[in-house]
Amino acid sequence: MHGPASSGWLLVALCAATGAYCLARMRGGAEGQRGAAGGEALMGFGMAAMAVPTTVFTPPAWAWPVYAAVFGAAAVHALWAARAGAHHLHHLVGAAAMVYMSLVMAGSPAHGHGRGGSGVPLLTGALLLYFAGYVLLAGVRLVPVAAVAGGGGASGWGDRPELARACRLSMGIAMVAMLLTL
């Protein structure tokens, strides 16, 4: 990721913490929830790796195609899972965005320093609109859950729906930040 190192490290911390929580969510819940949590953990850790400031570590040229392949496989998996429910389409868009960012970083000169004044590409703009809308919608959905969360029964911290929504919200915010620096 390009930009100030402090914001890059904040994104690394946010995405890594989100990925770790999603791994913990994989331990409980139903099979569908475990699969979604696994996809979200992959996304969180992948975003953390991509957000490491380039002033600290510049990935080798072969890393970007590897990222693209891993998230391409995740996109195919999300497309396959979308047969069972439309909520998997968000995972498909997220994985496709990661493939897109990986390919842009692989193909741009000096390891991903933008496109040289050509403006925001149409696909980047469309992804920004999608994720900005997702963040707003996820934020609105989070407020009522947090307001009534205290009245529920006893459940594990990994099974709390408001924490899962907060993780999705944080990953959406991180995706917007990463797309802005593209």
Side-chain angles (χ1 to χ4, degrees):
M1 189 178 118
H2 304 283
S6 60
S7 60
W9 285 119
L10 288 172
L11 274 177
V12 169
L14 176 72
C15 293
T18 300
Y21 176 73
C22 290
L23 278 180
R25 279 185 31 228
M26 287 180 66
R27 295 181 63 200
E31 178 64 32
Q33 292 172 349
R34 285 193 301 263
E40 290 165 2
L42 173 68
M43 187 70 67
F45 288 128
M47 290 172 70
M50 288 179 77
V52 172
T54 56
T55 57
V56 175
F57 175 72
T58 302
W62 57 263
W64 300 115
V66 170
Y67 284 142
V70 167
F71 286 104
V76 169
H77 182 267
L79 182 62
W80 184 259
R83 296 174 309 122
H87 63 279
H88 292 285
L89 292 176
H90 173 69
H91 291 202
L92 174 63
V93 173
M98 294 293 283
V99 169
Y100 171 67
M101 287 190 292
S102 299
L103 293 175
V104 167
M105 296 297 277
S108 59
H111 303 295
H113 279 93
R115 296 207 180 255
S118 65
V120 177
L122 184 60
L123 184 53
T124 303
L127 288 170
L128 275 169
L129 284 174
Y130 173 81
F131 283 104
Y134 179 81
V135 163
L136 292 173
L137 185 61
V140 167
R141 287 182 178 164
L142 186 61
V143 172
V145 172
V148 294
S155 66
W157 61 271
D159 297 328
R160 299 192 48 193
E162 68 274 12
L163 289 177
R165 287 183 178 140
C167 282
R168 291 182 194 115
L169 174 64
S170 66
M171 283 195 294
I173 292 168
M175 187 67 79
V176 168
M178 291 175 75
L179 285 166
L180 284 172
T181 63
L182 201 56

